[in-house]
Amino acid sequence: QQPVQSPQAVILREGEDAVINCSSSKALYSVHWYRQKHGEAPVFLMILLKGGEQKGHEKISASFNEKKQQSSLYLTASQLSYSGTYFCGTERANQGGKLIFGQGTELSVKP
Amino acid sequence: NAGVTQTPKFRVLKTGQSMTLLCAQDMNHEYMYWYRQDPGMGLRLIHYSVGEGTTAKGEVPDGYNVSRLKKQNFLLGLESAAPSQTSVYFCASQLISRENQPQHFGDGTRLSIL
């Protein structure tokens, strides 16, 4: 079952913050986050494991709420380079590394 | 540092034609995946392989076949192309012998079926 991402799209000014959510109806083992720029391959950002662990990557961080089966990606003080489409990929227990991806959130950062 | 290489990068086919997309990885990864990406749909898993000589169906396998005769290569075949298979196809590989590893993606193949 495909996870649901929200919002579908967001427009920011440079320096503003944004939150992207990823929700699943199934119990999850981990959540992966990727960013894809137009015409390019998805690029890995980070993995969140069950247990509410929060991780960071430059000014991008994420959390995983195991009770709600929801992960949130936090982008602070956004830069032009953050523009792209963000995907979450959810992994269930005993699925190996197989991921089910959300539909994506398109982020545009304007000067 | 080649990583994951997909060939071809672009292709236009006529309905009913067949073709094979090649994915090659040089990272000695055990797992390999084929996805298709359509606007507003995200990445949908077509088939995957957990090792040489093994394949399994993903979410949208109909109309596609795969083979993994060598660990480094994963082939995706369209036997009789249909316009609904117009899409961008991505291959990915993943190291499984260590826990919690990311998937590494190729640059994609843009396929149009007329």
Side-chain angles (χ1 to χ4, degrees):
Chain A
Q1 190 125 10
Q2 188 178 33
V4 177
Q5 290 185 231
S6 62
Q8 290 188 342
V10 59
I11 299 174
L12 299 175
R13 292 287 184 187
E14 262 186 303
E16 291 182 338
D17 302 339
V19 180
I20 300 171
N21 296 309
C22 173
S23 297
S24 175
S25 60
K26 305 289 186 182
L28 300 177
Y29 171 73
S30 72
V31 179
H32 298 216
W33 284 98
Y34 291 80
R35 177 172 61 205
Q36 184 181 30
K37 293 188 180 288
H38 185 69
E40 299 182 5
V43 174
F44 171 73
L45 293 176
M46 64 191 76
I47 294 175
L48 285 299
L49 303 178
K50 66 178 182 178
E53 181 180 357
Q54 184 155 348
K55 301 190 89 172
H57 177 79
E58 297 176 345
K59 293 181 181 177
I60 302 174
S61 62
S63 63
F64 179 24
N65 186 319
E66 186 182 349
K67 288 184 179 179
K68 293 184 178 180
Q69 302 304 323
Q70 178 175 302
S71 179
S72 297
L73 186 71
Y74 307 95
L75 300 99
T76 58
S78 59
Q79 306 168 13
L80 295 176
S81 62
Y82 287 1
S83 293
T85 302
Y86 290 78
F87 293 97
C88 66
T90 56
E91 179 187 3
R92 298 178 62 189
N94 302 319
Q95 293 287 303
K98 193 171 67 171
L99 300 177
I100 304 297
F101 285 91
Q103 80 279 21
T105 296
E106 188 172 356
L107 178 76
S108 297
V109 181
K110 307 291 185 183
Chain B
N1 264 4
V4 179
T5 303
Q6 293 183 232
T7 53
K9 296 191 184 306
F10 304 93
R11 187 73 184 268
V12 178
L13 290 179
K14 294 182 179 179
T15 298
Q17 288 184 318
S18 63
M19 79 162 295
T20 301
L21 280 65
L22 171 64
C23 176
Q25 53 96 3
D26 62 359
M27 297 174 283
N28 203 34
H29 287 175
E30 298 91 349
Y31 282 26
M32 296 186 75
Y33 306 87
W34 274 108
Y35 295 94
R36 61 176 290 173
Q37 185 174 40
D38 303 294
M41 301 291 288
L43 293 154
R44 292 184 293 169
L45 183 63
I46 305 172
H47 286 282
Y48 64 102
S49 168
V50 301
E52 183 178 316
T54 72
T55 62
K57 294 180 180 180
E59 304 168 75
V60 289
D62 294 342
Y64 305 95
N65 56 75
V66 288
S67 65
R68 187 139 178 232
L69 299 179
K70 294 182 178 181
K71 186 177 184 179
Q72 63 267 34
N73 295 337
F74 195 29
L75 278 63
L76 177 70
L78 286 73
E79 290 186 348
S80 180
S84 61
Q85 294 177 305
T86 293
S87 188
V88 181
Y89 292 84
F90 285 100
C91 174
S93 70
Q94 186 177 22
L95 182 69
I96 288 296
S97 53
R98 292 173 57 189
E99 285 191 337
N100 308 319
Q101 296 296 302
Q103 293 186 13
H104 298 261
F105 286 83
D107 288 336
T109 295
R110 285 146 186 82
L111 184 61
S112 293
I113 316 295
L114 304 178

